[in-house]
Amino acid sequence: MPSPRIGVTMLAAPTAPPILRDSRLASVWAKVRSGTRLSREDGLLLFETEDLHAVGRMADFFKSRLHGDQVFFVMNRYVNPTNVCVLSCSFCDFARKKGEEGAFENSIEDVLDMIKPGTREAHIVGGHHPDWPFDYYERMIGAIHAARPETQIKAFTAAEIDYLWRRWKIEPREALARLKNAGLHSMPGGGAEIFSKRLSKELHYSGKADADRWLEIHGIAHSLGIKTNATMLYGHVETMAERVEHLMRLREQQDTSGGFLTFIPLAYQVGTTKLVPRQTPPTDDLRTIAASRLMLDNFPHIEAYWIMIGEETASVALHFGASDVNGTLEDEKIAHAALAESPPGLAQEQILRMIRDAGKVAVERDALYNVVKVWN
């Protein structure tokens, strides 16, 4: 079937075909050029073929039709109000139990102090706290909106919204409507992990929103006019078929509700959880970004999340279908709790260098992808 249009201008892209060492990719390339949606089997081939260069070229072609040489970033601040969490996910180095060494709980005043005047976006996620009532989160959003009206607030994953229903019986539609009224602008995409019942049980995240619930909550957000992001945690014990299924479910939800802005593949950080002996290699990062760009034909953006894959790989990923590098993300804690080797925050100059090193044009944006400045 033809790809749904995603609300952006289709730009001219180079038409020279990639050199295909794997002849099976010829049919995929024909679909990409004609704008025909890729199948599940096509997705599996993208992950299994040894012809990574061709996969990257096809993804770069697709991305160039949407955004030309533009690559987007935002000046943002990462805020974790607490790492106290009732869950015990096997892949998480961030969460702590209440009273455990390293546990922290920030007040609303603490959160306000973290968000400096002029911050473009506040990205807020945290643990599933056993005691904080919904009112606390509502007041937090309201306080940020009042004190920092120039800051767009991207807060609370679908997993957190689902937990507020489980703990306090605040239905997601009511919760999101109240948070939007308090000043919420958009939602992050965390908590999706991998849409797999097998992995949910094996990695002990069955206590959080499952695939159906996660997608349902994002659909509710979209119906309320709240734009959201989507993620996938990869590079641990998932199969390639499970990756493809995850992307297919996201694509179906976007067809239905249309409110996703970007997809962020999250590379598992080995840290101390050690689900696998070492982090997945940069070639897998590049392949996952490229395959995601080609499969998620109705998503405006695919992100190279430099925090988890590093500056160098993120820069290369801008030739593998990525059109966004996130932003400065001052004081990011979740990936760094898992011993991510990237610096905890990047200055604007470093972000610009990452983009320019790839030969791309840097575009500063806000949380909703409104253009702030094109850096020539």
Side-chain angles (χ1 to χ4, degrees), residues 53-195:
H53 182 265
V55 174
R57 282 290 306 276
M58 290 189 289
D60 190 50
F61 173 88
F62 191 103
K63 178 267 174 187
S64 296
R65 282 195 305 188
L66 296 178
H67 307 293
D69 285 332
Q70 293 184 328
V71 172
F72 297 79
F73 75 98
V74 64
M75 302 296 291
N76 56 354
R77 178 61 158 88
Y78 205 100
V79 177
N80 303 116
T82 184
N83 64 347
V84 174
C85 189
V86 299
L87 299 177
S88 300
C89 303
S90 297
F91 51 81
C92 184
D93 279 299
F94 172 73
R96 298 289 186 274
K97 301 304 178 188
K98 194 166 184 177
E100 183 181 353
E101 183 179 357
F104 65 85
E105 301 168 291
N106 289 314
S107 67
I108 291 175
E109 291 72 22
D110 293 333
V111 170
L112 287 176
D113 286 343
M114 297 176 196
I115 304 170
K116 303 306 179 187
T119 300
R120 188 76 60 189
E121 171 197 288
H123 180 126
I124 305 172
V125 296
H128 293 14
H129 197 285
D131 304 322
W132 286 359
F134 175 76
D135 172 72
Y136 175 83
Y137 300 95
E138 190 175 29
R139 288 188 292 110
M140 179 191 300
I141 298 299
I144 296 169
H145 185 60
R148 303 282 184 263
E150 73 279 14
T151 300
Q152 292 175 331
I153 305 168
K154 181 170 71 180
F156 311 135
T157 66
E160 289 170 274
I161 296 298
D162 177 66
Y163 176 68
L164 291 172
W165 172 77
R166 294 175 187 235
R167 180 67 178 85
W168 304 107
K169 301 308 175 188
I170 306 292
E171 290 288 347
R173 183 170 294 276
E174 178 188 351
L176 289 168
R178 286 170 62 177
L179 291 169
K180 181 180 179 182
N181 186 60
L184 180 73
H185 292 88
S186 66
M187 283 176 60
E193 320 315 352
I194 288 277
F195 295 151

Side-chain angles (χ1 to χ4, degrees), residues 313-336:
T313 302
S315 186
V316 176
L318 302 183
H319 291 279
F320 278 72
S323 56
D324 193 281
V325 293
N326 199 296
T328 48
L329 274 176
E330 181 185 354
D331 200 29
E332 192 281 337
K333 288 186 172 67
I334 293 178
H336 288 94

Side-chain angles (χ1 to χ4, degrees), residues 46-50 52 283-292:
L46 293 174
F47 279 107
E48 292 171 354
T49 179
E50 294 181 0
L52 176 59
T283 50
D284 190 32
D285 299 324
L286 297 174
R287 179 188 301 275
T288 303
I289 287 168
S292 301

Side-chain angles (χ1 to χ4, degrees), residues 258-269:
F260 289 116
L261 291 171
T262 189
F263 172 69
I264 307 107
L266 300 176
Y268 166 69
Q269 308 293 299

